[in-house]
Amino acid sequence: MTHPAFPSTRTTCPYCGVGCGVLATPDGKGGLAIKGDPDHPANKGRLCVKGSALGETIGHEGRLLAPRIDGREADWDEALDLVAQRFSQTIAEHGPDSVAFYVSGQLLTEDYYVANKLMKGFIGSANIDTNSRLCMASSVAGHRRAFGSDTVPGLYEDLELADTVVLVGSNLAWCHPVLYQRIAAAKEARPEMRVVVIDPRRTATCDMADLHLAIAPGADAVLFNLLLAEIEARGLIRDPEATGLEAALAAARLAVPGETGLAPEDLARFLDLWLRSDKVVTVYSQGVNQSESGTDKVNAILNCHMATRRIGRPGMGPFSVTGQPNAMGGREVGGLANMLACHLDIENAAHRAAVQGFWGAPRMAERPGLKAVDMFRAVEDVRIKALWIICTNPAVSMPEADRVARAIAGCDFVVVSDMMAQTDTTRLAHVLLPATGWGEKDGTVTNSERRISRQRRLLPPVGRARDDWRILADVAGRMGWRDAFSWQHPSEVFAEHAALSGVAGALGSDFDISDHVGITREDYDVLRPFLWPQSAQKRGGRFFGDGRYHTPDGRARMVAVAARGPQPLDEAHPFRLNTGRVRDHWHTMTRTGLSPRLSRHLAEPFLELHPADAARLGLQAASLAEVESPHGKALLRVLITERVAPGHPFAPIHWSGETAPTGRIDALVQGVTDPVSGQPASKSAPVAIRPFAAAWYGFAVSRQPMKPDCDYWALARLPGGQQAELASGTTPEDWVAEAQTLFGIAAEPLVVRDRRRGITRLAFVVDGQLQAALFVSPEPVALSRSHVAAALGEACSPDLLAGRAGADRPDEGALVCACFGIGVNRILSAITAQDLVTVEAIGAALRAGTNCGSCRPELKALIAASSRIAAE
Ligand code: SF4
């Protein structure tokens, strides 16, 4: 129930690049009720499960409450003085390029703007880069090569207006769920609409695909070169004036169909679908961008749309969807090391002079700075001597994460601004600065369709946390530039950014929001979502429909793409590891990990492995696999599935030293980057896989935080406690002592042993209520997790230590519908008992899938699996 005294606030979801509008209503008890904003054009009231659970991720838990210097609490003045003094001293002694900022696509545009202004205009270096480098830098580079600007030409509604939607390397169902829902709804309304998914892995998104092309990893450019050659062969070139057309066609003619790994009939069907109708949208994301040839892949896609002039008109165009909520805002302010503010070019002297003049900047960066991977290499070899990491966790998320963590640990001076006290990166900081988070700060974000929306403050800052823009401005002031960083409110930063965009617009930049020059605080408070550009010359809408681009001659620029595959495998590392996201978690889980329901969908890191690979390696389902690359090792739960192809396992990216230290998957990923964009190739790590010789497996629940100390552990949040998956290669002598240490409980447990089967079960009961329990087995523990979790804090029934689900508590199995807590077992029995054959029928019977809709692809898959079983 919401409280009538607390009105709703319109704000924006802080997770993915869809940028959904949220209605947040304080409940009067410190919590928030969350609903989709029906008036926001991005989501029209929809939210996925991550957005729906935002209310569970607020509060004091785990927060960094005060500045800290070398581990001790400090006041703000002391901390800011120290940061300013150490940065100034380092710059004075070693020059501007001896310092760096590593920032984040989670920052608000105002924060990003201030960080960029400080580094590029006042420190005089371009050593500011962002975790968006890991996400969509190849799209930026591809756009700039083709269009002459980093412009997303289309709008979300094009996905609904298209006759054919092609999704390349994009698991929308899990990574951009509301866009998936919009396409699914459009397809339901127009069944003739076609959806093609191009992905080596059979993802949840394939559920709505008319055609799934399980392409050979890295072969996207070959496929789109084949398409371009076919465009020419069928006489469909509509832009013969495009620069580089002949060279692009010549390269395309060399494409070899066999390199795609696709059956000829599937390839022919794709070409036909793409070419048959004008209204085709090609959506792409990390599967294309995160590659050593990501920029070429992007340009291979753009070539096809530009050659056919299927761009910038309703229902057609290439569409890069960004992973992060404000990757686009970061691009707009020049948050990437190779860009200047407002889409101006750092290598263009006139652009630099314009920005310098506008800022009154004393020392303008004159060349691009270090991109993320190179930046941490420079930290490693001590070229960077002072580093400020803001709102991101590179010790987990950077490729070669162990090496990056060592580099940060070895840096002379490291500042980390973060909401959370304990992350793999905050542990390495000399100075920790507490930052406000979602719900506590005011600013703007830009989503993947160029729509700028407000994030609004609806809660007071936690502890002594401050806004990132203010922290940066306070340090800039202490470094001697108080006048240029003297804003009192984020609306003033936004107004300055808008004014600079007017200067940029006059120089020909696509990014121009100069309608908002001089915006007042009151107008900023009520600012409605709007598409950029918004200026006297141009507003909103699509780009390039008139065939004119932002290149010097206005012509499209085709790029000759010589398709290159991923790095070769070697004998010692014969598997190519694909990495990506899961449905209910975000980045390194510092926020989504706080929500019990988001932790129930997939509660530990895993390795998806094809059955043939599993058989060859002697790996059983739910056992543990050691995965090793030249850069690091992981221990992962084995999930045997035909979703992945033989030789191409998949593992998710979210787990960290805080939640599963052997699941830090980016420790395995090589720091190989695309030569144009500098984006790492995160989807093709060569790895070796072997069984882990576990002496025992364990599953534990506890009302108090646990302290596991064994070879493998993974923690997940429960309502009122935690659960842990455990395993080790050695068996402790005394299970009681082991459990007491794990739970921090001195009391004697109830113990049930089955010596013949090697099973031990222990339960700690205090005042008749279950405080903690540990289940140990020589095999992966076969037990209803949901039943055990539900028993926490309740009377300990004999069924619990017997490992049986209580008669009054049927086993839900793995959670499918996080909104209503409905597990796979309940859904399967309802499908069978009530003969349910549609997702809607499941919704009517159980409510599953009727709120956020994130589980609808899984419900569909369960219906399909049930009918397959029934047919057998
Ligand atoms: Fe947030 Fe989900 Fe919308 Fe992305 S799709 S912005 S995660 S609610």
Side-chain angles (χ1 to χ4, degrees):
M1 280 288 285
T2 57
H3 193 290
F6 300 100
S8 296
T9 299
R10 289 198 143 84
T11 185
T12 311
C13 175
Y15 295 124
C16 83
V18 180
C20 295
V22 169
L23 283 177
T25 314
D27 61 9
K29 292 177 268 174
L32 282 180
I34 298 290
K35 284 200 313 200
D37 180 352
D39 297 328
H40 196 290
N43 56 316
K44 299 174 184 166
R46 297 177 175 99
L47 285 182
C48 79
V49 65
K50 292 187 284 288
S52 303
L54 271 167
E56 296 168 33
T57 67
I58 57 168
H60 282 60
E61 191 183 346
R63 291 290 297 272
L64 179 61
L65 299 173
R68 304 187 76 81
I69 298 173
D70 294 327
R72 68 170 169 83
E73 197 166 308
D75 65 33
W76 268 108
D77 280 337
E78 184 188 5
L80 295 171
D81 285 346
L82 178 63
V83 174
Q85 184 264 323
R86 289 294 301 265
F87 268 76
S88 297
Q89 184 188 343
T90 306
I91 293 162
E93 290 175 5
H94 305 283
D97 288 335
S98 64
V99 302
F101 295 168
Y102 185 64
V103 300
S104 163
Q106 305 289 123
L107 284 175
L108 304 184
T109 301
E110 290 74 2
D111 303 322
Y112 240 138
Y113 177 86
V114 178
N116 187 56
K117 178 176 177 179
L118 174 57
M119 181 54 82
K120 293 205 179 113
F122 290 75
I123 289 176
S125 168
N127 282 346
I128 173 169
D129 212 40
T130 157
N131 60 8
S132 297
R133 178 74 58 193
L134 317 180
C135 167
M136 51 69 212
S138 297
S139 285
V140 175
H143 287 160
R144 294 176 85 201
R145 286 205 303 196
F147 307 150
S149 59
D150 175 24
T151 312
V152 173
L155 308 175
Y156 288 162
E157 68 180 31
D158 293 325
L159 301 171
E160 295 158 330
L161 297 172
D163 293 329
T164 300
V165 175
V166 179
L167 303 164
V168 196
S170 181
N171 182 8
L172 278 196
W174 282 17
C175 302
H176 300 92
V178 165
L179 289 188
Y180 168 90
Q181 289 174 33
R182 285 183 65 164
I183 297 171
K187 189 162 161 51
E188 206 168 301
R190 281 192 301 126
E192 67 278 14
M193 181 179 176
R194 292 288 171 260
V195 176
V196 181
V197 174
I198 300 171
D199 197 315
R201 184 169 162 244
R202 186 168 180 82
T203 64
T205 306
C206 294
D207 149 73
M208 72 166 160
D210 299 284
L211 177 64
H212 169 218
L213 299 180
I215 193 168
D220 315 75
V222 180
L223 181 64
F224 282 88
N225 266 352
L226 289 165
L227 178 60
L228 184 60
E230 190 69 12
I231 287 167
E232 183 193 24
R234 296 197 195 182
L236 292 173
I237 302 281
R238 296 285 179 263
D239 193 353
E241 300 300 316
T243 306
L245 176 64
E246 271 316 310
L249 291 173
R253 287 181 215 118
L254 299 176
V256 179
E259 290 179 2
T260 62
L262 300 173
E265 58 276 17
D266 286 343
L267 179 57
R269 195 165 161 222
F270 165 67
L271 297 177
D272 214 44
L273 268 176
W274 205 98
L275 295 168
R276 206 171 53 196
S277 60
D278 265 356
K279 290 190 173 180
V280 56
V281 176
T282 307
V283 176
Y284 57 95
S285 52
Q286 277 80 336
V288 168
N289 294 329
Q290 291 179 332
S291 156
E292 52 272 81
S293 56
T295 309
D296 278 351
K297 290 177 181 177
V298 169
N299 283 112
I301 293 169
L302 303 186
N303 280 347
C304 296
H305 280 277
M306 292 191 300
T308 51
R309 295 271 314 266
R310 290 173 177 178
I311 187 166
R313 288 179 288 149
M316 61 181 78
F319 210 130
S320 147
V321 287
T322 57
Q324 300 204 76
N326 202 26
M328 292 281 278
R331 285 146 76 164
E332 289 151 18
V333 301
L336 292 161
N338 54 322
M339 291 173 73
L340 213 49
C342 300
H343 285 190
L344 294 176
D345 187 351
I346 199 168
E347 282 158 318
N348 182 316
H351 289 187
R352 286 198 307 273
V355 177
Q356 181 163 23
F358 179 85
W359 280 341
R363 192 160 50 186
M364 199 68 197
E366 299 204 330
R367 58 178 183 278
L370 294 168
K371 298 177 182 131
V373 170
D374 292 336
M375 180 182 284
F376 285 101
R377 295 276 201 273
V379 173
E380 181 180 52
D381 63 23
V382 204
R383 277 176 288 146
I384 301 289
K385 299 170 201 308
L387 175 67
W388 191 348
I389 298 165
I390 305 175
C391 192
T392 183
N393 196 359
V396 182
S397 56
M398 280 292 295
E400 299 181 30
D402 290 346
R403 182 176 175 183
V404 167
R406 284 193 299 273
I408 299 170
C411 185
D412 286 353
F413 186 63
V414 178
V415 184
V416 176
S417 305
D418 208 297
M419 285 172 66
M420 308 310 288
Q422 286 290 332
T423 75
D424 294 32
T425 303
T426 58
R427 276 201 292 271
L428 306 172
H430 298 103
V431 179
L432 276 175
L433 302 175
T436 48
W438 181 87
E440 300 160 20
K441 60 197 291 186
D442 266 320
T444 54
V445 289
T446 308
N447 73 4
S448 296
E449 65 167 348
R450 291 181 276 111
R451 193 174 299 278
I452 295 177
S453 301
R454 284 290 320 274
Q455 264 194 30
R456 291 186 169 89
R457 173 174 291 183
L458 41 123
L459 299 164
V462 166
R464 288 193 266 146
R466 292 186 180 173
D467 297 341
D468 286 295
W469 69 267
R470 187 180 289 281
I471 298 170
L472 284 152
D474 284 346
V475 168
R478 284 166 165 78
M479 291 176 79
W481 303 304
R482 203 165 298 279
D483 287 351
F485 293 84
S486 61
W487 312 282
Q488 296 302 309
H489 189 267
S491 60
E492 296 165 26
V493 183
F494 180 81
E496 181 178 313
H497 184 212
L500 178 56
S501 79
V503 174
L507 289 167
S509 172
D510 58 340
F511 180 77
D512 185 347
I513 54 167
S514 52
D515 268 7
H516 298 281
V517 172
I519 188 170
T520 62
R521 191 182 294 196
E522 290 71 32
D523 286 342
Y524 183 75
D525 281 345
V526 296
L527 189 67
R528 302 288 298 151
F530 70 94
L531 285 171
W532 66 255
Q534 204 169 68
S535 68
Q537 287 72 36
K538 189 151 178 30
R539 59 192 54 243
R542 299 173 178 84
F543 280 91
F544 314 136
D546 59 359
R548 303 295 296 166
Y549 294 82
H550 293 129
T551 51
D553 59 6
R555 287 155 56 188
R557 239 171 8 206
M558 306 273 286
V559 176
V561 173
R564 285 177 290 126
Q567 303 281 302
L569 298 171
D570 59 50
E571 227 171 87
H573 303 96
F575 293 91
R576 195 175 293 291
L577 179 68
N578 184 2
T579 69
R581 293 183 177 157
V582 301
R583 190 190 77 183
D584 291 0
H585 278 306
W586 179 255
H587 278 195
T588 59
M589 292 204 292
T590 50
R591 185 154 204 142
T592 52
L594 297 171
S595 160
R597 74 172 147 138
L598 294 182
S599 302
R600 281 184 64 196
H601 180 237
L602 291 163
E604 65 179 325
F606 58 86
L607 181 75
E608 286 187 349
L609 199 60
H610 189 271
D613 290 336
R616 188 155 54 87
L617 293 163
L619 278 161
Q620 309 299 319
S623 66
L624 291 172
E626 270 182 8
V627 187
E628 184 170 10
S629 84
H631 311 287
K633 271 190 196 174
L635 266 184
L636 302 171
R637 186 75 60 186
V638 173
L639 206 162
I640 299 173
T641 171
E642 291 184 348
R643 282 194 292 270
V644 293
H648 297 99
F650 170 87
I653 59 170
H654 307 286
W655 278 267
S656 69
E658 294 293 308
T659 47
T662 61
R664 294 169 60 253
I665 215 66
D666 278 301
L668 278 65
V669 171
Q670 73 277 40
V672 172
T673 58
D674 176 276
V676 185
S677 69
Q679 178 156 0
S682 300
K683 294 197 172 282
S684 57
V687 297
I689 302 173
R690 50 187 167 266
F692 172 68
W696 60 272
Y697 295 85
F699 174 71
V701 292
S702 171
R703 295 182 81 177
Q704 299 301 322
M706 287 180 260
K707 293 192 181 66
D709 181 19
C710 50
D711 292 328
Y712 174 84
W713 56 265
L715 292 172
R717 186 59 53 100
L718 294 174
Q722 277 186 337
Q723 73 168 54
E725 298 288 347
L726 309 159
S728 182
T730 52
T731 305
E733 285 182 7
D734 180 352
W735 277 114
V736 170
E738 185 76 10
Q740 287 170 330
T741 307
L742 172 67
F743 300 128
I745 299 178
E748 283 299 310
L750 304 171
V751 182
V752 170
R753 282 201 177 90
D754 179 340
R755 292 189 195 282
R756 187 179 56 80
R757 291 162 63 206
I759 288 173
T760 302
R761 294 180 176 139
L762 307 96
F764 291 84
V765 179
V766 177
D767 297 333
Q769 293 178 334
L770 183 70
Q771 295 297 306
L774 171 64
F775 302 80
V776 181
S777 164
E779 306 295 330
V781 177
L783 188 73
S784 162
R785 269 63 175 163
S786 54
H787 169 60
V788 176
L792 262 187
E794 301 215 349
C796 185
S797 90
D799 277 340
L800 184 83
L801 287 185
R804 292 190 299 266
D808 57 338
R809 270 210 202 101
D811 177 15
E812 287 284 345
L815 193 73
V816 175
C817 173
C819 294
F820 297 114
I822 302 170
V824 63
N825 292 347
R826 186 146 49 121
I827 295 165
L828 282 172
S829 30
I831 290 172
T832 313
Q834 300 176 48
D835 204 14
L836 308 176
V837 293
T838 64
V839 171
E840 289 67 33
I842 295 176
L846 301 174
R847 297 176 75 201
T850 58
N851 186 37
C852 77
S854 288
C855 63
R856 290 172 70 89
E858 280 154 273
L859 298 178
K860 226 168 161 183
L862 288 173
I863 294 167
S866 298
S867 49
R868 265 202 311 276
I869 292 164
E872 281 166 10

